[in-house]
């Protein structure tokens, strides 16, 4: 099959290369010219193990990265058009669908009208978006959805840092569809895949993704709230308590247990915006979801709580140097979007601590670009940071920090309970 994929970010580049690996011919469209040039040059625009090798294998063979200027050619030949563009925070926590609708418009401007194609949203979109926004939008333009073209969703469950493995060894494929012809074409996209393929309604397909992300967010907020309860009562070894909790055989040794562990609050691109978006869409539909509301509010208060804890260790001398260990939102990734480290640093600055030095094994440059307003200093060497700081704060659980007690006797605030 021939497939056009809009957006070559974490999801779009992985999807494009994954489909190329399945043997499809893939055009990957990217509007960011710098990102496009990097990919065309055979480099990844972000850190993602395994994806680099897939890019080397498929670039110029089954995978063709292109700009919007070549869209016409790509869409003309495609059986399916996939949308993997961002759906960031919008007004009042709603998902911002601007990128998605602009990619849809770009598709419609070059779409061949004599060919049945399926437009498939892989971006995370709140339940009812396809049925209440996308289909009416296409119908207003005189398109007979289901007859002239199909519309579907195919949510993605990959984790950053494991994008390639999660895509290639997906545990399930979810297809939100409303007509049999689209379902058949999408089953063909995944015809070489052995995992279960579930064809469900459009709203169900969208909902499953939020069910997954909001459960993870809930587990994290639950764990963080429990750590605050424990700190308030006192005399409780929080890390030990959680590790013993994980020994319960009902967890089955699952990696899910890693979400039932306190830290700095959930961050990254997906959990914060998706939890807010599901709360907002349910609220608009007339239901005030109390668990989601409290999950969000617990997460929102974590940077303040952690900054207070750090301030307690640093003391009243605001000139002491605070070394922040870890700037990406999780180990194994250089993604700094919505990273808790930035929020904690911001809170420390509000408390008057301005002597802050950051270190991350891979994300120093990304962080500096993204959060230029925080105006902190950076250190490119782990041991130099330890030498330079008066107090050390672990904000991302990079494995290399686990030896820190052997390297220094300086005070350490282990916000990830990893030591
Ligand atoms: N990052 C994750 O771990 C993850 C996991 C599952 C689902 N998702 C969802 O997938 C979607 C994409 O996430 P991401 O992390 O890959 O985002 P991203 O920001 O890394 O990538 C989006 C890309 O789309 C490009 N783009 C925007 N409009 C375009 C257009 N009209 N034409 C061509 N390119 C365009 C942007 O330049 C950018 O490179 C989001 O809805 C997200 O919630 C993300």
């Amino acid at each position: 099959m021939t497939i056009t994929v809009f957006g070559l970010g974490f999801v779009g580049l992985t999807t494009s290369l994954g489909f190329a690996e399945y043997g499809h011919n893939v055009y990957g469209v990217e509007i960011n010219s710098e990102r496009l040039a990097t990919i065309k040059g055979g480099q990844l625009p972000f850190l993602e193990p395994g994806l680099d090798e897939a890019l080397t294998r498929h670039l110029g063979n089954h995978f063709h990265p292109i700009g919007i200027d070549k869209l016409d050619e790509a869409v003309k030949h495609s059986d399916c058009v996939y949308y993997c563009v961002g759906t960031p925070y919008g007004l009042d926590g709603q998902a911002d669908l601007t990128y998605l609708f602009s990619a849809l418009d770009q598709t419609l401007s070059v779409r061949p009208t004599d060919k049945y194609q399926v437009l498939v949203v892989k971006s995370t979109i709140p339940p009812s978006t396809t049925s209440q926004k996308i289909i009416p939008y296409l119908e207003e333009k005189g398109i007979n959805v289901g007859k002239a073209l199909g519309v579907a969703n195919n949510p993605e469950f990959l984790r950053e840092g494991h994008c390639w493995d999660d895509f290639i060894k997906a545990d399930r494929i979810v297809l939100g569809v409303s007509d049999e012809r689209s379902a058949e074409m999408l089953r063909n996209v995944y015809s070489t895949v052995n995992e279960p393929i579930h064809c469900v309604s459009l709203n169900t397909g969208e909902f499953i993704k939020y069910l997954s992300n909001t459960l993870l967010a809930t587990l994290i907020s639950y764990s963080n709230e429990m750590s605050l309860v424990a700190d308030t009562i006192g005399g409780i070894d929080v890390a030990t308590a959680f590790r013993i909790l994980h020994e319960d055989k009902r967890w089955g040794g699952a990696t899910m247990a890693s979400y039932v562990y306190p830290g700095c609050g959930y961050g990254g691109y997906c959990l914060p915006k998706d939890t807010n978006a599901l709360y907002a869409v349910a609220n608009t539909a007339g239901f005030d979801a109390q668990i989601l509301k409290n999950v969000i509010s617990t997460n929102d208060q974590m940077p303040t709580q952690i900054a207070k804890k750090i301030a307690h260790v640093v003391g009243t001398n605001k000139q002491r140097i605070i070394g922040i260990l870890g700037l990406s939102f999780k180990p194994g990734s250089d993604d700094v979007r919505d990273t808790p480290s930035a929020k904690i640093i911001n809170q420390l600055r509000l408390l008057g601590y301005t002597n802050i030095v950051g270190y991350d094994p891979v994300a120093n440059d990304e962080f500096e670009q993204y959060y230029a307003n925080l105006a902190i200093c950076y250190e490119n060497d782990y041991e130099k940071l330890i030498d330079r700081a008066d107090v050390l704060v672990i904000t991302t659980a990079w494995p290399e920090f686990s030896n820190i007690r052997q390297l220094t006797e300086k005070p350490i605030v282990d916000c990830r309970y990893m030591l």
Side-chain angles (χ1 to χ4, degrees), residues 257-288:
S258 67
Y259 292 91
V260 187
Y261 203 73
C264 299
Y266 53 80
Y269 186 50
C270 296
L271 299 194
K273 77 176 173 66
D274 294 347
T275 310
N276 276 283
L278 190 64
Y279 175 75
V281 80
N283 205 28
T284 308
F287 180 67
D288 187 17

Side-chain angles (χ1 to χ4, degrees), residues 47 62 81 114 146 166 181 217 242 244 301 325 360 375 398 415:
L47 179 79
H62 281 104
V81 181
D114 56 348
D166 283 353
R181 195 168 174 189
F242 273 86
I244 293 173
Q301 64 161 302
L325 289 157
D360 189 282
W398 283 99
C415 304

